[in-house]
Amino acid sequence: MDKRLTRTDYLFALMFIFMLVCILGAFFYGLRVGQEKSDQKYDKILHADKAVIQEIGAYDQQVLVSYYHTIFLPFREFQNKWFELMSQIELGNSTVDASAVLKELYKLADEKYSELQKKSMPASSPLLVQSHQGYLKSLKLFADTLKSYQSKANGLTSPQLLDVIQKDAYFLEAKTQALTAQKNYFDSIVAWNGTIDNDIENFDPNNNANLDQWRAMNINVKNHYITAKLLKNKAFAPFYPQDLTIRIDEFIASGQAKKMNVNDVNQTMDLLLSTNAVRPGDFVKGKSKWYANELLPQLPFFSDVN
């Protein structure tokens, strides 16, 4: 016997279908939200891992050593030759052909500039990228300075030639770029130190350190402080920053600072530089005595004089 569905039956069926649609909609909505949250979670983890890898790899020892050999050392070769040959002119020996000396230095600066142009550093190491660019600019400015005085050199006395070069705007900027590049390299060494020792205490080199603050610094922070002060004073010198660092430590430890009423590092630096008391190789000679327990990257200039 046929039985028609009542209005109540239709209403119940519609409510059932509606509830089924709502349940399915809620299920798929929850699934989508869950997937999005999961993707966000793992995306953060993935990016965090990448950030850690970049932070650790940016200034690891391998990168610092590569920079030393491919960029720092070629510039250092020019720097050493600069001081060697300029000292010959300074001595005023009549057998020295000043024009030939400047020509030799120009050719070396130009050669090293071309060599460094072919090199590059990873973008993940911005301090080293900046340092590289600084040394390139410095070599170009040195080359321009030297070339401009080749034809004039033999018409001037040694003191006159040295004086005009020292006052030349290109030469002054060449020094600034070299000292800035040096500071950036030593800043990257501090960054390397930070990846190994999270408790490293940095010191803002824009401030003047008193002797107690200096004693509290580790060797890498001291060296970086020195590079910043050398840059500020435009002190382009043949020694390494660490050579000045050890002379300051020796000066303080010997009691000379107290005896001469020297109260901060800047005064100590000025005194040592004005008396030519710093020589290339000072650090290497005293390293085992003063810094045997200090953390240093395995870079050649921390163990060899040249």
Side-chain angles (χ1 to χ4, degrees):
M1 183 175 176
D2 293 333
K3 185 178 179 181
R4 289 187 175 184
L5 296 174
T6 65
R7 184 178 297 177
T8 302
D9 293 329
Y10 281 115
L11 182 61
F12 179 82
L14 288 172
M15 290 180 63
F16 178 80
I17 294 171
F18 176 77
M19 289 177 63
L20 184 61
V21 170
C22 289
I23 291 170
L24 290 173
F27 172 79
F28 286 111
Y29 176 78
L31 181 63
R32 189 182 70 178
V33 171
Q35 287 178 333
E36 289 177 351
K37 288 185 177 180
S38 178
D39 289 342
Q40 290 175 357
K41 175 182 177 181
Y42 287 105
D43 187 61
K44 288 181 180 179
I45 293 173
L46 179 62
H47 282 81
D49 287 343
K50 288 181 179 178
V52 170
I53 291 171
Q54 180 175 339
E55 181 182 355
I56 293 175
Y59 301 107
D60 64 18
Q61 184 156 276
Q62 183 179 355
V63 176
L64 294 179
V65 171
S66 174
Y67 181 90
Y68 178 92
H69 287 290
T70 60
I71 297 168
F72 181 85
L73 190 57
F75 182 85
R76 184 71 189 185
E77 289 171 0
F78 167 77
Q79 181 175 337
N80 288 342
K81 184 62 71 172
W82 167 272
F83 284 107
E84 176 190 337
L85 296 185
M86 293 305 283
S87 66
Q88 292 181 13
I89 295 177
E90 186 176 8
L91 292 173
N93 192 322
S94 59
T95 61
V96 174
D97 184 338
S99 180
V101 168
L102 297 191
K103 184 177 181 180
E104 181 180 350
L105 283 170
Y106 162 74
K107 289 178 64 177
L108 183 60
D110 190 56
E111 174 190 317
K112 296 303 179 183
Y113 176 78
S114 298
E115 182 179 342
L116 262 61
Q117 269 193 315
K118 300 173 185 176
K119 309 299 182 181
S120 64
M121 293 305 297
S124 59
S125 309
L127 289 169
L128 297 179
V129 172
Q130 293 169 24
S131 183
H132 178 205
Q133 292 302 313
Y135 281 131
L136 272 172
K137 292 174 184 177
S138 180
L139 286 168
K140 184 67 170 67
L141 289 163
F142 269 115
D144 290 344
T145 303
L146 291 160
K147 189 175 183 179
S148 69
Y149 287 103
Q150 282 181 41
S151 61
K152 312 171 190 175
N154 289 340
L156 300 170
T157 65
S158 295
Q160 288 173 336
L161 178 59
L162 293 174
D163 184 60
V164 293
I165 290 177
Q166 292 290 335
K167 292 178 180 177
D168 186 90
Y170 281 8
F171 170 71
L172 294 173
E173 184 60 21
K175 288 200 305 181
T176 298
Q177 290 295 333
L179 291 166
T180 302
Q182 177 176 257
K183 177 183 175 297
N184 286 332
Y185 188 32
F186 278 79
D187 198 1
S188 72
I189 293 174
V190 173
W192 163 83
N193 197 161
T195 65
I196 298 173
D197 179 9
N198 294 326
D199 296 326
I200 181 176
E201 294 185 13
N202 289 312
F203 187 90
D204 185 353
N206 291 317
N207 299 325
N208 293 331
N210 61 41
L211 300 189
D212 288 334
Q213 289 171 323
W214 173 262
R215 293 187 188 96
M217 299 179 200
N218 81 359
I219 181 62
N220 296 311
V221 176
K222 285 179 178 179
N223 289 339
H224 179 244
Y225 180 91
I226 292 299
T227 63
K229 297 306 178 183
L230 290 173
L231 170 59
K232 183 178 179 180
N233 296 335
K234 300 295 185 289
F236 185 64
F239 55 78
Y240 291 110
Q242 58 266 31
D243 292 319
L244 179 50
T245 294
I246 195 170
R247 294 295 290 118
I248 292 173
D249 280 329
E250 290 172 344
F251 186 78
I252 295 171
S254 68
Q256 290 298 310
K258 185 176 181 180
K259 185 184 297 183
M260 301 181 70
N261 199 28
V262 174
N263 300 310
D264 62 40
V265 179
N266 286 7
Q267 289 178 314
T268 308
M269 281 182 59
D270 291 342
L271 181 62
L272 291 170
L273 293 176
S274 65
T275 56
N276 294 317
V278 186
R279 295 285 185 274
D282 283 345
F283 178 83
V284 173
K285 293 173 185 175
K287 175 186 172 183
S288 60
K289 175 183 177 180
W290 291 93
Y291 311 110
N293 298 318
E294 294 269 16
L295 182 65
L296 283 164
Q298 294 179 7
L299 297 171
F301 62 13
F302 287 134
S303 55
D304 298 324
V305 174
N306 296 317

